[in-house]
Amino acid sequence: MSTTSADLVPSIKVSPHELPTSLREAGLVNWIREPLDDAVDRRRRIIFPPAAATIGTPFNDFRGPLLAEARHSDTVLMMGDNPALPTMPEIPTLGDFFRLRFCKIAGAHMLQSARIAREKGLDEKVIMACLLHDIAVAGLLSANHGYWGAQMVAPYVDEEVAWAIEKHEALRYFPDEDAGYTYPESYIDYFGADYDPPDYIRRDHEEARRHRWYMTARLVTVNDVYSFDPGAVVDYGEFEDLVGRNFRQPREGLGFDGSPVAHMWRTMIWPNNFL
């Protein structure tokens, strides 16, 4: 039987390792990425779940067995670009994060909130705060997202905008009927009718009520969209001019400008890095 050139081409079919039963039963198979057919180095990559995502859950007990999988010669821990994610530009802009990194629900929610604020004719600082208020939820962490979000954008926006993003975290839990804000029905579904905010939230609410920028932060909650209208379609392009006037895009790109928060943006660029 003659041999053809096609017979000499190595197979690109990858035979995945048989993972330990403990990992399969724990549901950790999804943290292990088999190489794509066109992968250059033919190695599996393990996404090691961050502590913030696993503490208090059964997954935290399996970090050791998952880490042990990296001892296979054809397996490494995820570092750099995850092939499952779109590659970010070398000089990332805010728009790039909206399009390529932010989760669809939170990203659409912020765009919808900003459009509502703009349609009401509100000040650009309010609109900008609405556009960015849940940025941490969209790309980093949900817990304490107002505080994280304010830090992430502080070097690039007016101080009032960052302050409003931080304080909306606490103001959400307290109605202000005169300002047009009632406690969201969805929060009763999310947290229960008997939920009692912790002391630091109460403290920050009281401080915000006495601050000269109170209404900026309060208007973020007023124009928040707690129903997350799935029928609303808002494109980031609607706010390009607004962002150009109110967001100081670093020439090196977000994540590479050496600011005190550059690491937060880099974390969103490479969210699955082991270190």
Side-chain angles (χ1 to χ4, degrees):
M1 181 176 176
S2 63
T3 300
T4 67
S5 60
D7 296 325
L8 301 177
V9 177
S11 172
I12 60 173
K13 184 68 176 176
V14 176
S15 298
H17 288 305
E18 185 62 33
L19 296 178
T21 302
S22 62
L23 293 182
R24 291 189 178 280
E25 292 179 348
L28 288 171
V29 175
N30 290 331
W31 294 99
I32 300 176
R33 297 290 185 259
E34 298 295 341
L36 302 177
D37 285 345
D38 60 351
V40 174
D41 60 9
R42 315 302 301 140
R43 292 187 294 184
R44 296 187 310 161
R45 281 168 168 72
I46 294 176
I47 298 175
F48 199 69
T54 60
I55 290 176
T57 76
F59 289 119
N60 202 52
D61 297 331
F62 290 92
R63 291 163 64 86
L66 188 60
L67 185 61
E69 279 298 295
R71 298 190 184 121
H72 288 287
S73 61
D74 63 348
T75 304
V76 294
L77 291 162
M78 184 75 75
M79 293 293 281
D81 291 332
N82 181 344
L85 294 173
T87 303
M88 292 286 282
E90 291 186 7
I91 303 177
T93 66
L94 180 63
D96 292 322
F97 284 91
F98 264 89
R99 299 183 185 101
L100 303 176
R101 283 297 181 270
F102 293 164
C103 73
K104 294 187 186 306
I105 293 177
H109 164 64
M110 291 188 291
L111 290 167
Q112 189 177 345
S113 298
R115 175 190 275 180
I116 291 173
R118 187 183 61 190
E119 289 177 344
K120 291 180 180 177
L122 297 177
D123 185 85
E124 285 199 349
K125 290 180 183 178
V126 175
I127 302 171
M128 194 68 201
C130 288
L131 182 65
L132 300 176
H133 75 283
D134 279 353
I135 192 171
V137 175
L140 197 63
L141 289 170
S142 293
N144 289 294
H145 71 278
Y147 304 93
W148 282 107
Q151 280 189 302
M152 288 167 62
V153 303
Y156 316 111
V157 299
D158 188 271
E159 182 182 359
E160 183 176 350
V161 172
W163 186 91
I165 291 171
E166 176 181 322
K167 299 308 179 185
H168 99 277
E169 167 97 10
L171 295 182
R172 296 171 305 140
Y173 296 103
F174 302 93
D176 183 345
E177 302 291 347
D178 292 338
Y181 182 75
T182 58
Y183 189 77
E185 287 289 330
S186 60
Y187 278 20
I188 297 176
D189 296 332
Y190 294 163
F191 314 124
D194 59 345
Y195 178 71
D196 186 23
D199 288 343
Y200 78 91
I201 289 289
R202 295 184 174 279
R203 178 201 67 211
D204 286 358
H205 162 252
E206 291 301 324
E207 289 179 358
R209 286 296 299 258
R210 297 189 294 269
H211 199 277
R212 68 185 186 280
W213 293 333
Y214 168 68
M215 280 307 300
T216 306
R218 174 52 76 192
L219 285 171
V220 173
T221 68
V222 170
N223 294 283
D224 213 333
V225 186
Y226 294 96
S227 62
F228 294 89
D229 183 359
V233 178
V234 187
D235 185 82
Y236 177 83
E238 295 184 22
F239 300 98
E240 289 278 13
D241 289 346
L242 174 84
V243 171
R245 292 189 295 271
N246 294 275
F247 192 90
R248 295 182 287 273
Q249 168 69 31
R251 69 173 183 274
E252 304 92 341
L254 290 166
F256 305 104
D257 57 330
S259 80
V261 301
H263 62 285
M264 298 184 185
W265 297 89
R266 288 196 302 271
T267 298
M268 293 189 290
I269 294 173
W270 296 296
N272 307 129
N273 275 8
F274 176 60
L275 295 175

